[in-house]
Amino acid sequence: TLYTVRWLHPPEWATPAWVLTKGDGTADEVHVTATGAECNCPDFHWCRNHKDGKGCKHIAALRSVNLLRK
C-alpha cells in the first residue's frame, strides 16, 4: 500500500509522530512513547500492542524507510 507520510511532531519534539495517509484518505497516526512506537490503527490496538515487537504495518513502513528505529 502506498502512503503519504508527514510529520505530526518532528523529531526535534520530545515525542515524534507521523500521519500515514492512503490514497482513499484513510489516515493512521504513529507516535513514539516511552514504551516504544504506537499506532492508532485497529490492528495495533487489538492485536499487537505490547504483544508483538514488530508492531503494525504502519510502524513497519516507517522503520523500512528509516524514520523510526527499533
Side-chain angles (χ1 to χ4, degrees):
T1 304
L2 293 175
Y3 292 95
T4 300
V5 178
R6 71 178 174 85
W7 292 110
L8 186 58
H9 298 167
E12 302 83 46
W13 290 39
T15 56
W18 301 264
V19 176
L20 290 84
T21 308
K22 291 194 311 188
D24 67 1
T26 305
D28 294 288
E29 294 181 9
V30 175
H31 295 260
V32 175
T33 69
T35 59
E38 296 183 1
C39 185
N40 69 340
C41 74
D43 181 47
F44 183 84
H45 182 71
W46 295 107
C47 302
R48 311 226 183 237
N49 191 7
H50 304 293
K51 298 174 193 158
D52 180 351
K54 178 184 164 203
C56 65
K57 66 183 178 182
H58 307 106
I59 292 171
L62 290 172
R63 286 187 177 137
S64 74
V65 294
N66 295 318
L67 289 175
L68 185 63
R69 288 181 243 143
K70 289 185 180 184

